[in-house]
Amino acid sequence: MSSRNFFIVAFVLFLVLKTFNALFSKKKAEDEAPAEPTTKVCPYCQSEIAIRAVRCPHCTSKLEGFPEINE
């Protein structure tokens, strides 16, 4: 008789914890904002590069949309 009680209590505890975890993870997913991308793809060689790159480090192509940098 006592093993039956153990399994009933264990099953109820399992259901309670499973429900709690499901509610908590759903709320956590809603609170997180999507992170901004830190990389982009080079239009010439299709390599992944830093988002602020002016030249591709792989093919050394000058990327469009950036002003001239006077060195």
Side-chain angles (χ1 to χ4, degrees):
M1 194 69 147
S2 104
S3 66
R4 183 183 296 171
N5 289 340
F6 172 77
F7 286 115
I8 292 171
V9 171
F11 182 69
V12 170
L13 187 59
F14 169 76
L15 291 177
V16 169
L17 289 175
K18 185 175 179 180
T19 304
F20 178 75
N21 285 335
L23 291 174
F24 183 71
S25 66
K26 189 180 289 187
K27 181 169 173 58
K28 184 178 177 185
E30 291 172 357
D31 291 345
E32 292 179 359
E36 292 186 27
T38 58
T39 59
K40 62 181 176 181
V41 176
C42 174
Y44 302 103
C45 69
Q46 302 299 313
S47 298
E48 193 169 307
I49 57 175
I51 195 102
R52 297 185 65 202
V54 178
R55 285 191 180 267
C56 176
H58 303 284
C59 66
T60 67
S61 298
K62 187 175 176 185
L63 303 174
E64 299 174 8
F66 291 98
E68 281 291 322
I69 297 177
N70 296 328
E71 296 181 34

